């Protein structure tokens, strides 16, 4: 499949203070976004998601590596013409009205006012801000600014949409609306790359995810496969067995809230675990295959501390 | 060119929504209107004094406005993250940089225009004279403001607004004393060689901004010197060359900066 965006061996460090030691934000990150796909960039806070997207948009300069958008060098102005970008926590000059703001951005994108006006009305309608189109933004909530941010990203009818934490600041209904909007854009042919530290918002819409931590790829691929691969089995016991009595295999663990009746066992160790449970006199009611939640996947791969401290 | 003008327009919008713009403009007009109340020696020099004080005020206003706007625009846009919404579009960074600078100069020109109008009306009403020559002094104030804004904006690519204002203030002072003070420091053989070297370096590097200050000459109706079109053209050329140098350096640095 043709890649709309390809990133190879991207390195980026920041000076902690002028002239001071440098801190590595990206260490050889590489991935590609095939046309018409929805790709999620996933990682805890500080993993390097925003830095990656800024490099792609030409807002930060990587130390080394290559970025190609639609086959062009990422630094080229032309490469950005068909790209829409939503920055993390977007902010605007609040004395403007959404309509005036979008007209200004339209001019920057080289759009004629006559072409921009109907497009702007359509987009404000799409993000549910048609009633606020002509009032200044100084009274807007974070969620409303996020919607304006989405509208500005879609302004020039982008073929590639790059969104940094698109659902942050939105209420549950707003998150649902964003998800539906992205789904319909995707089915309309738009390629989407979005970042998130919230696993639930990526799970439903992404064809592929790239999981990063400390500027490196931890895993990538189709989400379902990734989760299946690391999957485990859940063993339901007939009656509660006190933890102290059962000699459970070291890899197994009691499921939280299972009242001593549910054990989690890695797929590979299932037979050994069952054998030792039976030997200890436990009665097994059911064994089922269980897909990892994304949170659990993270904890497995980068460790509990890595996730909780930074995430 | 469309992007440049859009960025310039955004500065105008921004200034018209900022209190500091109105505060500086209103304060200087108010002070100007208060000048005639100052006690003065004789009626003969009154009009000269009035003109000189008013032109001085106009200079301060224009320089403050130019330097404050140029020092704050980039740091403020970085701080509020609004810059990501504009520079992620198919525009070049130099277009942003140049557009913002042109916008600043349009705002300063507008403020100078208001100031000149007040000054002409005031001189006319009080002394019954129409003084179009004052426009020459206002023009050279504008020229100096173009240089100061370019310096402040160059500093603002790297430094905080306060540092930029202080740096530009230092630049202003050195460029005003260079014809006199730096020249003597450079030529006085009694000085340490290092001091002479640094003075000489700065003397040849920096523009002579004192030459752009024709307030006194114009205030005294150019009785001693006449400021002809040739001199004005020369000053404009000097301002243009130095502004372009600082703008080029600033845009070059800005191009390479992480946002
Ligand atoms: N402008 C900056 N200056 C210095 N360090 C930065 C800057 N931006 C990001 N970093 C550092 O780079 C790392 C990655 O940050 P970021 O890309 O924002 O992560 P994420 O978006 O995944 O939360 C962090 O350690 C962060 O502290
Ligand atoms: Mg981020």
């Amino acid at each position: 499949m043709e890649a709309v965006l390809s990133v190879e061996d991207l390195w980026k460090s920041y000076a902690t203070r002028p002239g001071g030691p440098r801190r590595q934000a990206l260490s050889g990150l590489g991935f590609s976004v095939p046309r018409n796909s929805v790709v999620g960039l996933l990682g805890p806070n500080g993993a390097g998601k925003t830095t990656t997207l800024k490099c792609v948009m030409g807002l930060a300069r990587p130390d080394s590596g290559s970025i190609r958008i639609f086959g062009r060098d990422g630094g080229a102005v032309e490469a950005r013409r068909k790209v829409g970008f939503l920055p993390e926590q977007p902010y605007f000059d609040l004395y403007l009205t959404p309509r005036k703001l979008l007209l200004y951005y339209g001019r920057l994108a080289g759009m004629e006012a006559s072409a921009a006006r109907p497009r702007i009305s359509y987009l404000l309608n799409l993000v549910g801000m048609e009633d606020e189109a002509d009032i200044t933004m100084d009274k807007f909530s974070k969620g409303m600014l996020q919607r304006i941010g989405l509208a500005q990203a879609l302004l020039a009818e982008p073929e590639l949409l790059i969104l940094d934490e698109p659902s942050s600041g939105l209420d549950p209904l707003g998150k649902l609306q964003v998800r539906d909007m992205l789904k319909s854009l995707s089915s309309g042919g738009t390629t989407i790359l979005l970042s998130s530290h919230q696993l639930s918002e990526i799970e439903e819409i992404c064809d592929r995810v790239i999981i990063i931590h400390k500027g490196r790829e931890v895993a990538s691929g189709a989400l379902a496969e990734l989760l299946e691969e690391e999957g485990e089995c859940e063993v339901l016991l007939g009656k509660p067995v006190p933890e102290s009595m059962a000699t459970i295999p070291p890899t197994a663990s009691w499921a939280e809230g299972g009242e001593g009746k549910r054990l989690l066992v890695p797929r590979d160790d299932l037979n050994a675990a069952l054998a030792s449970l039976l030997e200890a006199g436990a009665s097994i009611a059911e064994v089922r295959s269980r897909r990892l939640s994304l949170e659990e996947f993270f904890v497995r791969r980068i460790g509990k501390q890595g996730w909780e401290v930074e995430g | 060119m469309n992007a440049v003008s859009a960025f310039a327009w955004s500065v105008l919008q921004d200034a018209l929504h900022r209190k500091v713009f109105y505060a500086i403009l209103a304060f200087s007009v108010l002070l100007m209107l208060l000048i005639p109340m100052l006690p003065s020696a004789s009626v003969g020099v009154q009009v000269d004094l009035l003109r000189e004080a008013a032109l001085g005020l106009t200079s301060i206003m224009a320089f403050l406005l130019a330097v404050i706007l140029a020092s704050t625009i980039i740091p403020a846009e970085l701080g509020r993250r609004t810059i990501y919404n504009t520079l992620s579009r198919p525009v070049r960074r130099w277009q942003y940089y140049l557009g913002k600078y042109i916008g600043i100069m349009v705002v300063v020109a507008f403020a100078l225009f208001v100031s000149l109008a007040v000054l002409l009306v005031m001189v006319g009403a009080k002394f019954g004279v129409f003084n179009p020559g004052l426009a020459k002094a206002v023009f050279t104030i504008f020229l100096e403001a173009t240089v100061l804004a370019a310096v402040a904006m160059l500093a603002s690519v790297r430094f905080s607004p306060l540092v930029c204002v202080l740096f530009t203030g230092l630049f202003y002072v050195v460029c005003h004393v260079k014809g006199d003070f730096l020249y003597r420091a450079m030529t006085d053989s009694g000085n340490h060689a290092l001091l002479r070297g640094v003075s000489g370096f700065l003397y040849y590097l920096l523009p002579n901004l004192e030459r752009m200050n024709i307030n006194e000459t114009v205030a005294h109706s150019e009785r001693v010197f006449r400021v002809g079109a040739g001199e004005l053209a020369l000053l404009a050329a000097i301002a243009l060359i130095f502004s372009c140098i600082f703008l080029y350096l600033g845009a070059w640095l800005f191009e390479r900066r992480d946002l």
Side-chain angles (χ1 to χ4, degrees), chain A residues 23-45:
Chain A
R23 204 183 134 93
Q24 209 64 37
L26 298 177
S27 308
L29 189 66
F31 62 92
S32 69
V33 178
R35 187 176 285 279
N36 229 324
S37 63
V38 181
V39 173
L41 198 59
L42 206 50
N45 287 332

Side-chain angles (χ1 to χ4, degrees), chain A residues 121-141:
Chain A
S121 298
Y122 166 78
L123 287 173
L124 288 172
N125 208 39
L126 184 72
V127 298
M129 296 293 289
E130 67 275 18
D131 293 335
E132 291 85 2
D134 296 302
I135 59 175
T136 56
M137 293 185 282
D138 46 8
K139 299 282 186 318
F140 281 18
S141 67

Side-chain angles (χ1 to χ4, degrees), chain A residues 12 61 80 89 91 152, chain B residues 81 85 89 91 258-259:
Chain A
K12 173 74 190 167
R61 294 165 65 89
R80 289 202 293 274
Q89 295 174 10
Y91 199 79
Q152 63 82 28
Chain B
R81 302 184 308 278
N85 305 320
R89 290 177 205 285
V91 296
D258 281 335
L259 302 178

Side-chain angles (χ1 to χ4, degrees), chain A residues 14-15 23 25 44-52 88:
Chain A
Y14 288 108
R23 204 183 134 93
N45 287 332
K49 305 180 294 293
T50 298
T51 303
T52 307
E88 188 172 23

Side-chain angles (χ1 to χ4, degrees), chain A residues 6-25:
Chain A
S6 68
V7 172
E8 275 170 41
D9 199 25
L10 203 61
W11 291 77
K12 173 74 190 167
S13 60
Y14 288 108
T16 45
R17 58 191 146 78
R22 296 186 77 81
R23 204 183 134 93
Q24 209 64 37

